[in-house]
Amino acid sequence: MNSFKKSKLVALACLAAAGSLVLTACGGGTAPKTDNAGGSDGKPTGTLNLGVMYETTNYHPSNTSSALAMGTNWHIVEGLYEFDMADYKVYPALAKGEPTKVSDTEYEVTLRDGAKFSDGTDVKAEDVVSSFKRIVEGETGADGKPVESIYKQFFDFIDSITAKDDTTVTIKTKYPFGALQERLVDIKVVPTSATFDELTSKPIGTGPFMYTNISPTALDAEPNPNYNGPYPAKVSKMHWDVLKDDNARLTAALANTIDIMESVPAPFIDQLTGAGWKVDEVPGYNNPFLMFNTTKAPFDKAEVRQAFHYAIDKQTLIDSTLNGKAEVSSSFLPKSNPDYKEAATQYNYDAEKAKQMLSDAGVAGKTVNLLTTDHPWIAQLAPLVKQNLEAAGLKVNVTSVASADVYAQTDAEGTDYDVVLAPGDPSVFGTDPGIIINWWYGDNVWTQKRTGFQKSDPEGYQQIADGIQAAQQLTGDEAKAKWGEVQDLISAKVPLYPLFHRTMLTGYNPAKVSDFKAIGTTGLEAVGVSVK
């Protein structure tokens, strides 16, 4: 995308300002993303068809982590502030403007005048409060059991959010925190009266669109007639086709049944561009990671986990399956992040070193069960990963299942899995390190159940947790240095660690689509997009 470099510089400037613990107006304002209207009369017109590769049954705006739900919800629900996902520029959405600073730890935010949910109900400050409580206090699920939001760790810095009056909320923080607007993006405001089931299956919000149909294979949305924000709908219908298979998305693109294609496999670029499509490349945070059951021997030993990373030829993985469209991880954060530091421990491919480490740990010749998700690009990695590990002296069984089935196993009481190879990308929530690192290493399901890191290495876990907490309260170079220490700690422990960071490839048909911008994370954002 021609504007990517410029957009990226804006994003880095905003994130750097956030890291300085000064509340900034980076991206503040309500100017439309584009001057193009939908039709000649300014009304929405036409259908925008999107081909997406992920699936889900959970659209709950306060606890979903699905790439599909996150991407579609961007058009349906709003926070007080939102990101332009192309550059992470923050703008007031449901908020009327910037927060009013009362003190270093207290702010007030006023709601947009006349804001309504898509069902016509007025939005009140109490809806913001209850949406926040859904995250930090949890809810009761459909089965009557408590459901804790994985977003909870994003808001440890907030002491309270209360309603000052019907249109104003008061936010008190536990300490000065510079990225307030960026974090408020992740509190999507939904009606206080909405039930858990309603929000999970078909949420309503205040965004430019509203869902009209959700099925396992397709979703539809139409303009929200009550929307009065800065980015009104420009198409009369959005339609998402869930096409997990790469070839199915390619076929749909070449047949012109979709206009935008998520996650273009690198080998398909020439076919798409030859058919008149554009394919934009955006460096991102999406990665395949190895996750170990650290409560189970021998994966309770850091040296065994490290050996796996030395054993895998990551550059060959990138070259052979992604046509080079990725960068081998040299830290937990990608190089594009302003707080990136080359980690103290580097996992350059070294089969002999891996073999010796496994032998020293008494693991040589052992059988390892590698559980992977069935995402096509992950499935393509598995054979070479198996080959590399077996060359290092292991026997490897590979099982590939849907993501939901992977995490059903890892989250089960007394889980007995060995190693997981799966994709992940929390940058849908933001790109400050407090988001990215806390997602995987906060006090949540990843460390409590999936890796079991809190149980197997409480001291190591606490070192990382303390580092995260300290970094979020520091400024400038001191914050960057502390985030570097955290990256060093993670690189030594590696209960969960990326193999590489992938360049995101997104295709679109310029003969049909206007004002589309590719993003560096999973999902597709088409707010402000129109069709020709």
Side-chain angles (χ1 to χ4, degrees), residues 55 244 289-293 369-375 378 398-413 415-423 445-446 449-451 496:
E55 62 184 355
K244 290 176 60 178
F289 58 81
L290 286 184
M291 178 174 72
F292 297 87
N293 180 0
N369 295 308
L370 180 65
L371 180 63
T372 83
T373 63
D374 63 356
H375 299 99
I378 293 292
V398 177
T399 303
S400 180
V401 297
S403 288
D405 294 327
V406 168
Y407 295 115
Q409 291 188 48
T410 63
D411 297 359
E413 195 68 32
T415 182
D416 194 42
Y417 86 93
D418 290 348
V419 187
V420 164
L421 171 65
V445 68
W446 291 99
K449 293 183 178 181
R450 293 176 180 173
T451 64
L496 184 153

Side-chain angles (χ1 to χ4, degrees), residues 141-161:
D143 58 2
K145 296 180 180 179
V147 178
E148 183 174 289
S149 173
I150 201 167
Y151 301 3
K152 183 178 179 179
Q153 73 266 16
F154 297 163
F155 301 102
D156 288 345
F157 72 95
I158 291 183
D159 185 57
S160 65
I161 296 181

Side-chain angles (χ1 to χ4, degrees), residues 4 43 71 128 170 201 252 277 318 342 529:
F4 170 68
K43 294 181 180 180
V128 180
T170 298
S201 60
W277 277 54
I318 293 170
E342 182 176 298
V529 171

Side-chain angles (χ1 to χ4, degrees), residues 327-394:
E327 186 168 48
V328 173
S329 298
S330 55
S331 189
F332 196 78
L333 295 175
K335 291 180 180 179
S336 59
N337 191 287
D339 289 296
Y340 161 85
K341 174 189 177 292
E342 182 176 298
T345 306
Q346 291 295 306
Y347 293 102
N348 301 316
Y349 174 52
D350 192 334
E352 288 306 311
K353 182 174 184 175
K355 192 172 186 177
Q356 187 62 53
M357 292 177 73
L358 292 171
S359 177
D360 291 346
V363 184
K366 299 292 185 182
T367 298
V368 172
N369 295 308
L370 180 65
L371 180 63
T372 83
T373 63
D374 63 356
H375 299 99
W377 70 278
I378 293 292
Q380 290 169 12
L381 299 177
L384 185 56
V385 170
K386 172 183 167 72
Q387 179 182 324
N388 287 165
L389 294 176
E390 290 185 337
L394 298 171

Side-chain angles (χ1 to χ4, degrees), residues 98-253:
E98 308 298 324
T100 298
K101 184 176 180 179
V102 179
S103 73
D104 286 345
T105 58
E106 183 175 346
Y107 300 87
E108 291 181 353
V109 179
T110 301
L111 297 179
R112 188 171 72 216
D113 293 338
K116 296 179 183 292
F117 292 106
S118 58
D119 65 357
T121 305
D122 290 335
V123 181
K124 295 185 177 181
E126 182 54 40
D127 295 308
V128 180
V129 174
S130 64
S131 296
F132 172 67
K133 288 181 177 179
R134 290 180 193 270
I135 293 172
V136 298
E137 296 179 3
E139 297 180 81
T140 300
D143 58 2
K145 296 180 180 179
V147 178
E148 183 174 289
S149 173
I150 201 167
Y151 301 3
K152 183 178 179 179
Q153 73 266 16
F154 297 163
F155 301 102
D156 288 345
F157 72 95
I158 291 183
D159 185 57
S160 65
I161 296 181
T162 57
K164 179 179 180 180
D165 54 43
D166 278 353
T167 59
T168 309
V169 293
T170 298
I171 302 169
K172 294 183 178 180
T173 63
K174 297 174 183 176
Y175 45 82
F177 189 84
L180 179 63
Q181 291 183 69
E182 287 83 354
R183 292 298 177 88
L184 292 177
V185 168
D186 294 316
I187 302 175
K188 303 304 183 186
V189 180
V190 294
T192 302
S193 60
T195 68
F196 181 88
D197 283 357
E198 290 169 343
L199 293 173
T200 299
S201 60
K202 193 177 180 183
I204 68 169
T206 60
F209 289 87
M210 60 182 186
Y211 289 123
T212 55
N213 175 66
I214 295 179
S215 76
T217 58
L219 300 88
D220 294 294
E222 295 179 0
N224 172 4
N226 296 297
Y227 179 74
N228 68 343
Y231 303 125
K234 295 186 175 179
V235 295
S236 55
K237 182 178 180 180
M238 292 187 70
H239 176 81
W240 293 266
D241 279 316
V242 177
L243 303 168
K244 290 176 60 178
D245 182 77
D246 291 341
N247 288 301
R249 293 197 309 286
L250 176 65
T251 298

Side-chain angles (χ1 to χ4, degrees), residues 452-464:
F453 190 48
Q454 288 195 37
K455 300 175 184 176
S456 66
D457 189 355
E459 182 178 344
Y461 165 77
Q462 197 58 51
Q463 282 183 299
I464 293 171

